[in-house]
Amino acid sequence: MQVFKFGGASVSTIERIHNVSGLLQRFQGQPLLVVISAMGKTTNALEKVVEAFYQGHKEQALELFSAIREQHRQISRELMPSEPSEGPDYLSDFFTEVEWLLHDKPVRNFDYYYDQVVCIGELLSTAIVSRFLQSRGIPNQWMDVRDLIRTDDTFRDAQIDWTYTETNVQQTVVPLLAGSQLIITQGFIGSTDENESTTLGREGSDYTAAVFANILNAESQTIWKDVQGVMNADPKLYKNAQWIRELNYREVIEMAYYGAQVIHPKTIKPLQNKGIPLYVKSFINPDEEGTLIHDGQVSRLPPIIVYKQRQVLMELSSKDYSFVGEGLTARLYELFEETKTRPNLTQNGAISLLCVL
């Protein structure tokens, strides 16, 4: 079986949702688990809803969410014009889940509310795509990933309970795939043992797909993007960016760590642990070769260019001329961990340390 992941760009328009449908039609009759992100810039829009709510601007939050609700209903109507237009629709429960929260007052921290609201983006996109596929004669099973992936309660950066999640997936997902079922589910989100929604970190859908690939012993994972594959630089910034045919796990982890917008940094470990190859391919031109990422040696790579905006250079120095390597660096990294600060680059001197953040 295979695991596919479609990002927000792949379902951002009616045309692109039709494109995803055509692509999945090629794999009918094969066991396939598909992870889909929120549509387009929905996550950004939902973040603004949370910010307004947490600042006490309830009416503004409800107004912003109303626009998101109508946008998704309009997409659903355009995709499936024969669906009833009056009365409750199949998306209503998701909208109610958020609206009920927005009518309350915040009594917990921001990260908690962030996860309860932002997770709706993935649920809406997958419900629409699943329903549309059914209407096109492509049978599939929609599953709420919050019923599958158990996490701790570190909201916005939840850690997966692998033991519980693996047992859950084996019991619920494996029997469906054994019948060559197509499963549609969400990335980026999970839930605690108290059924509170959590998120796995921004852009965490790649990681979700890798978790499923690992547990299901998939033959491969494919990330479908709007470019041919992994590039050595952002093609939107560098016109001469080169497509890379082949990479190894180590190189991709380093690229992701330094901020290349290719793959979520956590994605590789679950795949490497089982030796599962990762493909990055174009959903616009699915017959193009794409990029293969595996555990072998790869040589003659072009220079990898990562351009990061809004960076700050911070210098820390020891006041008493103690060497930074004698315990001070270790303490600094403890502080980074406690404050969830992640420097992009660091450089040690004798009595000073530079950080780029």
Side-chain angles (χ1 to χ4, degrees):
M1 64 81 56
Q2 298 182 73
V3 173
F4 284 179
K5 182 262 177 173
F6 291 95
S10 63
V11 288
S12 59
T13 65
I14 299 295
E15 180 185 1
R16 287 189 168 182
I17 294 172
H18 276 276
N19 188 60
V20 168
S21 167
L23 202 158
L24 292 177
Q25 204 157 22
R26 298 180 174 201
F27 297 88
Q28 268 192 279
Q30 300 179 36
L32 183 64
L33 185 141
V34 178
V35 171
I36 301 176
S37 299
M39 293 179 173
K41 300 296 183 182
T42 301
T43 300
N44 294 341
L46 287 166
E47 286 175 341
K48 291 179 180 175
V49 172
V50 187
E51 288 164 7
F53 166 76
Y54 200 72
Q55 291 166 4
H57 308 312
K58 182 177 82 171
E59 295 307 319
Q60 182 188 358
L62 287 166
E63 188 177 327
L64 289 168
F65 186 68
S66 176
I68 295 168
R69 181 185 63 214
E70 291 313 308
Q71 177 193 19
H72 283 80
R73 281 187 167 148
Q74 180 61 29
I75 289 170
S76 179
R77 284 193 290 266
E78 289 183 33
L79 283 168
M80 296 163 283
S82 59
E83 289 273 338
S85 57
E86 301 298 326
D89 59 34
Y90 66 102
L91 301 174
S92 293
D93 287 345
F94 303 126
F95 299 135
T96 302
E97 189 175 328
V98 173
E99 287 165 344
W100 176 83
L101 182 146
L102 295 179
H103 277 96
D104 209 343
K105 288 185 178 180
V107 293
R108 298 178 65 169
N109 66 31
F110 178 83
D111 290 352
Y112 167 78
Y113 292 107
Y114 180 97
D115 283 4
Q116 309 318 301
V117 173
V118 169
C119 72
I120 296 299
E122 270 70 13
L123 295 165
L124 292 171
S125 67
T126 53
I128 291 171
V129 172
S130 171
R131 190 106 165 182
F132 176 62
L133 291 174
Q134 297 281 12
S135 74
R136 297 291 293 264
I138 304 174
N140 68 89
Q141 176 69 52
W142 181 89
M143 300 189 82
D144 189 334
V145 78
R146 296 174 298 179
D147 296 332
L148 301 172
I149 293 183
R150 169 69 56 81
T151 72
D152 65 9
D153 60 358
T154 308
F155 297 104
R156 292 189 75 179
D157 192 21
Q159 303 302 304
I160 292 175
D161 179 340
W162 276 85
T163 303
Y164 183 95
T165 300
E166 184 163 2
T167 301
N168 215 5
V169 170
Q170 292 289 349
Q171 291 175 349
T172 56
V173 177
V174 171
L176 292 172
L177 292 172
S180 295
Q181 180 70 274
L182 167 61
I183 295 174
I184 304 292
T185 194
Q186 306 79 38
F188 175 56
I189 61 179
S191 73
T192 69
D193 56 7
E194 295 184 358
N195 291 322
E196 295 172 320
S197 299
T198 55
T199 62
L200 308 178
R202 200 71 155 80
E203 310 294 343
S205 295
D206 293 348
Y207 178 47
T208 301
V211 169
F212 281 118
N214 176 288
I215 294 172
L216 297 167
N217 293 307
E219 64 183 75
S220 66
Q221 174 181 333
T222 303
I223 296 174
W224 296 93
K225 300 175 77 72
D226 55 0
V227 291
Q228 183 179 354
V230 177
M231 314 289 281
N232 75 318
D234 185 344
K236 295 172 185 172
L237 297 174
Y238 298 92
K239 292 181 180 178
N240 296 325
Q242 302 174 49
W243 160 66
I244 303 173
R245 172 179 276 108
E246 202 173 357
L247 284 164
N248 59 34
Y249 296 133
R250 183 185 183 91
E251 191 70 40
V252 171
I253 287 176
E254 294 294 340
M255 289 172 68
Y257 176 79
Y258 284 108
Q261 300 296 310
V262 220
I263 294 160
H264 190 280
K266 290 182 179 178
T267 304
I268 299 301
K269 186 178 186 301
L271 299 176
Q272 190 276 336
N273 290 172
K274 293 279 185 80
I276 298 168
L278 173 64
Y279 294 91
V280 181
K281 301 191 70 173
S282 166
F283 61 77
I284 299 169
N285 298 300
D287 292 324
E288 287 184 339
E289 186 177 350
T291 299
L292 167 62
I293 300 165
H294 56 78
D295 212 5
Q297 292 296 317
V298 178
S299 58
R300 296 183 181 178
L301 286 173
I304 306 298
I305 302 167
V306 179
Y307 179 71
K308 295 188 73 67
Q309 296 177 310
R310 298 171 59 85
Q311 300 297 291
V312 173
L313 177 65
M314 179 171 70
E315 181 180 9
L316 300 107
S317 301
S318 62
K319 289 185 176 181
D320 62 358
Y321 280 63
S322 298
F323 288 131
V324 295
E326 296 176 349
L328 294 179
T329 305
R331 178 61 189 136
L332 178 61
Y333 273 91
E334 287 175 9
L335 290 170
F336 284 153
E337 186 64 29
E338 289 169 15
T339 57
K340 293 186 179 179
T341 302
R342 294 181 175 87
N344 297 314
L345 287 172
T346 60
Q347 180 176 313
N348 283 30
I351 60 171
S352 65
L353 187 140
L354 296 174
C355 296
V356 179
L357 307 113

